């Protein structure tokens, strides 16, 4: 377990557990896109959690406040690659903060922690994708130094 200090408050960063699934599902549903695509039935989340938790290249993080309430989450994936001379990439996904945590510095501290996590494991590049509808998130990522260098494509299977 690691800690973040933000504006005199202490937050804990830890690996998510199966008991966190209900709170994580609420966080995933609490945005413009998640409201339509996330569901109340937790069985699919529990099955996905088992796969994530079993994969050594995955870290599903939760950030808890001083009362041990989850205020944020993100999923980190280490991706070995042949490109960039065999660079390992840190892919950051499913970033969510509770409304009360937005604008407090928790998100910035969480990303500083995530970048350090990746560096400790040999990552030389951090990457993420963000839906085009998330303009506030894009401003935040650019504030952190991320650059929109690629166009992403998806195909439902």
């Amino acid at each position: 377990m690691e800690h973040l200090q933000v504006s005199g408050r202490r937050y804990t960063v830890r690996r998510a557990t199966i008991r966190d699934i209900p709170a994580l599902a609420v966080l995933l549903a609490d945005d413009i896109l998640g409201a339509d695509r996330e569901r109340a039935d937790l069985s699919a989340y529990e099955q996905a959690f088992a796969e994530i938790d079993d994969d050594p290249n995955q870290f599903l993080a939760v950030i808890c406040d001083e009362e041990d309430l989850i205020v944020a989450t993100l999923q980190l994936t280490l991706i070995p690659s042949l490109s960039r001379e065999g660079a390992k990439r840190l892919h950051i996904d499913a970033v969510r903060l509770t409304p009360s945590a937005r604008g407090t510095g928790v998100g910035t501290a969480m990303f500083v922690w995530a970048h350090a996590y990746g560096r400790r494991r040999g990552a030389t590049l951090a990457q993420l994708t963000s839906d085009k509808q998330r303009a506030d998130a894009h401003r935040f990522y650019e504030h952190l130094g991320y650059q929109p260098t690629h166009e992403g494509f998806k195909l439902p299977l």
Side-chain angles (χ1 to χ4, degrees):
M1 235 183 297
E2 297 185 50
H3 300 283
L4 308 175
Q5 288 294 131
V6 181
S7 301
R9 296 193 65 190
R10 180 178 162 123
Y11 295 86
T12 302
V13 180
R14 64 173 172 77
R15 182 178 290 276
T17 69
I18 193 76
R19 292 184 309 277
D20 297 322
I21 296 300
L24 294 176
V26 168
L27 269 176
L28 292 170
D30 184 30
D31 78 356
I32 189 171
L33 300 171
D36 289 331
R37 68 180 179 203
E38 304 300 336
R39 302 289 175 250
D41 178 10
L42 298 181
S43 60
Y45 299 96
E46 291 165 352
Q47 187 175 9
F49 175 82
E51 284 188 61
I52 293 165
D53 201 44
D54 284 345
D55 185 339
N57 286 317
Q58 303 285 337
F59 188 92
L60 180 56
V62 293
I63 292 76
C64 300
D65 66 11
E66 294 156 327
E67 290 80 42
D68 203 33
L69 297 174
I70 295 173
V71 298
T73 186
L74 71 151
Q75 182 175 341
L76 305 177
T77 304
L78 294 167
I79 306 170
S81 175
L82 289 178
S83 68
R84 295 181 181 249
E85 299 179 342
K88 187 180 291 185
R89 297 166 189 249
L90 174 68
H91 184 79
I92 302 172
D93 195 33
V95 177
R96 299 290 191 282
L97 282 83
T98 60
S100 64
R102 295 176 196 146
T104 65
V106 170
T108 298
M110 178 172 72
F111 268 80
V112 168
W113 174 85
H115 297 155
Y117 172 93
R119 282 187 202 99
R120 287 191 307 269
R121 285 153 184 81
T124 60
L125 179 73
Q127 65 184 30
L128 55 84
T129 60
S130 182
D131 192 278
K132 290 182 178 187
Q133 296 179 61
R134 291 191 164 114
D136 291 341
H138 300 169
R139 281 190 293 278
F140 172 69
Y141 299 141
E142 289 177 6
H143 172 76
L144 293 175
Y146 284 82
Q147 298 173 358
T149 60
H150 290 69
E151 186 75 20
F153 297 88
K154 291 186 180 182
L155 175 69
L157 300 177

